[in-house]
Amino acid sequence: MRFMLRNAIWAIASFSLCGGWQEAIAQSPTAQTPPARLTAPRLFPEKTLAYIRVDDVATLKADMQKSSLGKLGNDEQLKPILMEFYGSLVRTTEQMQEQIGLNLDELLSIPSGEMAIAVLPNERGRARVDRQRGNSESNSDDENTEEVRVEFEGPAVAILLDAGDEISSVQVLLQRVETAAADRMEHLEKPIGRLTLHRYQNTERAREQFAYFIDGGVMVGCTDANYVEELANVWLGNASSDRKTLADNRKFTQIMSRCVGTEGERPHVSFFADPLAMVRQFAPRNAGTTMVMAMLPALGIDGIEAVGGSWIVAPPDFDSISHFHLLLASPRRAILGLLRPKSGSTTPEDWVPDTVASYSTINWDLLSTLDAIERLYNQFRGENALEEQVFRGINDRLELDFRKDILENLEGRITILQGFVRPVRINSGSNVYAIRLKNPEYVKSNVLPKLLGQIESRTEVFSKTFGELKVNVFEPGRQPENVDAPIRQPEICITFIDDYVVISDSEYMIRQLADVLNGSTAPLKESLEYQLIADRIAAQLQDKECSAISYARPEESLQLFYELARDPKNRERLREVADNNGFFQALLAALDKHELPPFSVISKYLAPSGGYLVDDETGLHYMTFSLRRE
């Protein structure tokens, strides 16, 4: 029964997080929420291990309609394709109705208000004790001898689902599951105030259970019946005054305070997790686990206090905003000492073209990270172990001093670009990695020749010129040229631009950089779209420097999939894997019956996106956002 419930809950959660972009689905009724009803943070216990929550599914669907995704789904030229896709998907999942009593439409319409799923701790330290009457030869003379087996009972999973007027569909689902499991599950009922607690207990395995109650269109359930009884009392206001909830958890509130909108908007979706508490709960209780847990402080991993984040749809002036926060203890020790982002310039370099699909750059204190690695390694392997056991072998193989010639020559800024090689293939995405050096001339004259010598022993290296750039090119695993091959052959390119060593996996991207240097392509930093992103980042940072930024033009990535979808050869490849996949079958049905409109119909809804990383006293915070097309 738990397996069926878990899949049903997952289907509901998946829709709630990404649904609402189709008119046929978006018209779910709004739940009538009792004024004094507890929300999930006020219901779940303070030491909740992990949690994900949709604040209000109906509001999320409505706001999704205002987003670029919602506008895209309602476009008159795209709507027939999307409706055909959805209709085909419903038809391919008809067998689901036979199993759970609901079709796809009915299942997706269930959540209309708040929905949350949480992993709760086994605070009671319970262990399941099975007493079995002995039947071996050693106890055959004493029929009353019992064998005691102790098995650890792990964390529980709880759900809060506000279904509003659709609560009857939830009851249909529960009744169907009860009928399917009637031969091995016992159904018990217990009144608690105005509530009725329903408990399903496996008649053979006491640990397998599920319990729930329903009140005012809201279902609260858990895989631990004792927890449901506790939650029911909290729901009714009968909990003790000293009971603390997730809303009282300092880690939770500290993270959530950083994850609101630019104008204080509440997140549509939020999540939280306490990784170390989860490890302690899920790890088996034995000598090996005890030893590992005892090592965590020495490794500094106990400094990871929590992680969390949020997703906000269609706030003022934005299409969406996302937050991710890693809450760290201070000072950072051992492994956490490796996390050394530093503030610095994030303005795109002069040679970055405005044609890139994405751009990201980060400033990192690489020497401090290296020192932390060395201290940690030597702590476990002995004095000077990293130098003797690792660096010495690399030095001998490369015939250079790896620490001095390479690591200590890194300035700390790393930039990554992405573009798409034409003609479009499955792996058309191509990356450029640019690493800033303290002494590029030394690396160019003394280090690169030795590295190329190692490469030339395996494959031929060519020297090519692209405008002002002199580039070393080699093709690992080179195959005969085949223009119809679905996979492109990578071309590893190495060159130097200003203080950077630049490495790419295609000549196409190197040509893009050369075009900026010769003036035939404009630099990214002068792009209006980039300026819009940079201005929003500066406003959030209040003109302070950050450690990293990102910039992306989603239409570039989407165009790749668009062109692949239009290619008959790719459709045939998709058809080959669609036989047992309802999603691909529905997608093919939609593409076969309707011609895709020009890409300009899609691209007009897509706006650039950006993000930034800051390192502060509480940990690392990463915010991403996309702009809105009016």
Side-chain angles (χ1 to χ4, degrees):
M1 184 186 75
R2 179 181 295 181
F3 175 80
M4 295 181 69
L5 283 172
R6 184 171 62 244
N7 281 277
I9 290 169
W10 173 248
I12 297 170
S14 299
F15 168 74
S16 298
L17 294 178
C18 63
W21 53 272
Q22 267 189 297
E23 184 179 4
I25 309 174
Q27 297 175 348
S28 299
T30 302
Q32 299 300 317
T33 304
R37 180 175 75 74
L38 290 177
T39 59
R42 294 290 181 186
L43 176 66
F44 295 140
E46 178 187 19
K47 295 184 179 180
T48 295
L49 302 177
Y51 151 103
I52 184 169
R53 173 178 181 249
V54 181
D55 184 66
D56 188 292
V57 174
T59 300
L60 175 59
K61 293 176 183 178
D63 286 342
M64 283 290 290
Q65 294 295 305
K66 305 173 187 176
S67 70
S68 60
L69 188 59
K71 294 176 181 177
L72 186 67
N74 286 320
D75 187 279
E76 291 301 323
Q77 297 185 65
L78 286 168
K79 187 181 292 187
I81 300 176
L82 297 176
M83 294 300 293
E84 178 65 38
F85 166 72
Y86 180 70
S88 298
L89 189 61
V90 171
R91 289 190 291 273
T92 59
T93 57
E94 287 178 348
Q95 68 276 14
M96 179 177 65
Q97 184 170 5
E98 299 177 3
Q99 297 177 354
I100 67 174
L102 303 173
N103 61 32
L104 184 62
D105 263 329
E106 292 169 331
L107 184 64
L108 297 182
S109 68
I110 287 176
S112 57
E114 182 185 13
M115 184 175 70
I117 300 175
V119 180
L120 307 182
N122 177 15
E123 291 180 316
R124 305 167 182 80
R126 295 188 307 271
R128 183 168 66 86
V129 180
D130 288 348
R131 299 184 179 275
Q132 300 177 338
R133 190 174 299 277
N135 55 10
S136 62
E137 293 181 2
S138 61
N139 56 31
S140 57
D141 295 333
D142 185 358
E143 293 184 357
N144 294 321
T145 300
E146 292 182 326
E147 175 188 354
V148 179
R149 181 178 64 187
V150 179
E151 183 176 343
F152 172 64
E153 184 175 340
V157 178
I159 179 173
L160 182 153
L161 175 63
D162 186 345
D165 296 337
E166 296 296 325
I167 195 65
S168 58
S169 295
V170 176
Q171 292 170 323
V172 169
L173 176 62
L174 292 170
Q175 290 169 1
R176 183 60 64 94
V177 172
E178 178 183 348
T179 301
D183 59 334
R184 63 181 186 280
M185 301 296 290
E186 181 182 10
H187 178 203
L188 304 173
E189 295 184 3
K190 179 180 179 179
I192 301 179
R194 69 172 186 271
L195 305 177
T196 299
L197 190 152
H198 298 263
R199 175 173 178 170
Y200 296 89
Q201 183 77 47
N202 192 311
T203 54
E204 297 179 357
R205 303 189 63 184
R207 185 173 58 172
E208 292 190 358
Q209 56 179 282
F210 178 77
Y212 72 91
F213 65 84
I214 293 176
D215 185 43
V218 180
M219 185 195 82
V220 175
C222 186
T223 56
D224 185 320
N226 293 317
Y227 258 127
V228 175
E229 187 167 346
E230 176 184 318
L231 296 175
N233 281 306
V234 175
W235 186 266
L236 294 172
N238 298 332
S240 62
S241 59
D242 60 348
R243 183 190 187 272
K244 293 186 177 181
T245 64
L246 184 58
D248 300 310
N249 184 317
R250 177 194 60 83
K251 299 175 183 178
F252 175 78
T253 56
Q254 196 167 7
I255 288 178
M256 289 301 110
S257 66
R258 298 291 305 274
C259 296
V260 297
T262 57
E263 302 295 332
E265 299 89 356
R266 293 175 58 183
H268 291 79
V269 181
S270 56
F271 72 92
F272 169 82
D274 187 334
L276 290 184
M278 292 182 69
V279 170
R280 295 186 183 100
Q281 284 287 319
F282 282 102
R285 296 182 179 179
N286 53 43
T289 302
T290 301
M291 183 176 65
V292 171
M293 297 303 295
M295 292 176 60
L296 295 184
L299 294 172
I301 297 178
D302 60 337
I304 301 176
E305 295 191 338
V307 296
S310 66
W311 181 44
I312 306 167
V313 181
D317 300 326
F318 292 92
D319 193 68
S320 66
I321 296 175
S322 298
H323 291 273
F324 177 84
H325 194 86
L326 176 62
L327 189 65
L328 301 174
S330 182
R332 300 173 195 172
R333 300 176 293 102
I335 285 180
L336 295 188
L338 306 181
L339 302 177
R340 294 292 184 181
K342 63 179 183 179
S343 297
S345 174
T346 54
T347 302
E349 294 82 354
D350 294 340
W351 38 266
V352 177
D354 65 357
T355 55
V356 294
S358 67
Y359 166 86
S360 60
T361 189
I362 186 169
N363 293 282
W364 198 273
D365 189 344
L366 296 171
L367 289 182
S368 293
T369 296
L370 175 61
D371 289 343
I373 292 174
E374 187 165 27
R375 287 195 301 271
L376 189 63
Y377 190 89
N378 293 346
Q379 178 180 345
F380 290 95
R381 303 301 296 270
E383 184 178 357
N384 210 33
L386 184 68
E387 184 69 34
E388 297 294 332
Q389 300 175 13
V390 178
F391 286 160
R392 177 171 292 182
I394 297 175
N395 295 345
D396 293 342
R397 181 175 180 179
L398 299 181
E399 299 179 353
L400 49 74
D401 188 327
F402 184 67
R403 182 195 292 266
K404 178 181 176 182
D405 293 340
I406 297 180
L407 296 180
E408 293 183 358
N409 215 332
L410 302 178
E411 185 274 341
R413 181 172 177 180
I414 301 172
T415 293
I416 302 174
L417 317 177
Q418 185 182 50
F420 295 95
V421 180
R422 299 303 195 264
V424 169
R425 299 181 186 180
I426 294 174
N427 65 333
S428 277
S430 175
N431 295 318
V432 175
Y433 303 93
I435 305 169
R436 194 170 188 178
L437 305 171
K438 295 177 181 177
N439 190 345
E441 287 302 322
Y442 177 83
V443 174
K444 186 176 182 180
S445 303
N446 298 283
V447 178
L448 182 62
K450 295 178 181 179
L451 296 178
L452 290 178
Q454 297 289 326
I455 296 171
E456 286 177 331
S457 65
R458 299 175 177 82
T459 187
E460 188 173 1
V461 178
F462 302 92
S463 180
K464 297 186 178 183
T465 301
F466 302 99
E468 301 178 10
L469 299 180
K470 297 186 182 300
V471 185
N472 294 289
V473 182
F474 60 95
E475 301 178 20
R478 186 178 184 183
Q479 300 293 328
E481 184 69 22
N482 181 2
V483 295
D484 294 326
I487 305 295
R488 71 176 178 88
Q489 175 69 42
E491 305 151 331
I492 307 302
C493 305
I494 305 174
T495 188
F496 287 82
I497 307 177
D498 298 333
D499 294 339
Y500 291 82
V501 58
V502 179
I503 304 170
S504 178
D505 63 356
S506 73
E507 294 183 11
Y508 175 88
M509 289 301 297
I510 295 296
R511 290 192 184 95
Q512 298 286 307
L513 308 187
D515 288 343
V516 181
L517 293 173
N518 65 27
S520 59
T521 298
L524 176 62
K525 67 180 184 180
E526 296 179 4
S527 163
L528 176 60
E529 289 191 334
Y530 171 78
Q531 287 295 331
L532 291 172
I533 294 296
D535 289 345
R536 295 301 175 91
I537 292 176
Q540 293 299 306
L541 295 172
Q542 298 181 349
D543 295 324
K544 297 178 182 177
E545 287 188 328
C546 58
S547 300
I549 70 164
S550 63
Y551 164 81
R553 298 164 58 224
E555 69 270 18
E556 288 291 319
S557 302
L558 190 56
Q559 187 167 9
L560 169 68
F561 294 102
Y562 176 87
E563 294 183 23
L564 288 173
R566 288 174 62 92
D567 188 343
K569 294 179 181 178
N570 285 313
R571 288 205 191 174
E572 288 305 314
R573 296 187 190 103
L574 185 61
R575 213 175 299 278
E576 291 173 2
V577 299
D579 289 342
N580 298 315
N581 190 301
F583 179 87
F584 287 151
Q585 290 175 14
L587 179 61
L588 281 170
L591 294 176
D592 289 342
K593 292 184 179 180
H594 301 276
E595 183 68 24
L596 283 170
F599 185 70
S600 58
V601 173
I602 299 173
S603 63
K604 68 183 181 183
Y605 295 105
L606 305 177
S609 62
Y612 65 87
L613 172 71
V614 292
D615 183 9
D616 60 28
E617 66 280 359
T618 67
L620 302 180
H621 189 85
Y622 185 57
M623 172 187 174
T624 61
F625 59 89
S626 57
L627 301 181
R628 179 187 299 178
R629 292 285 192 198
E630 297 299 340

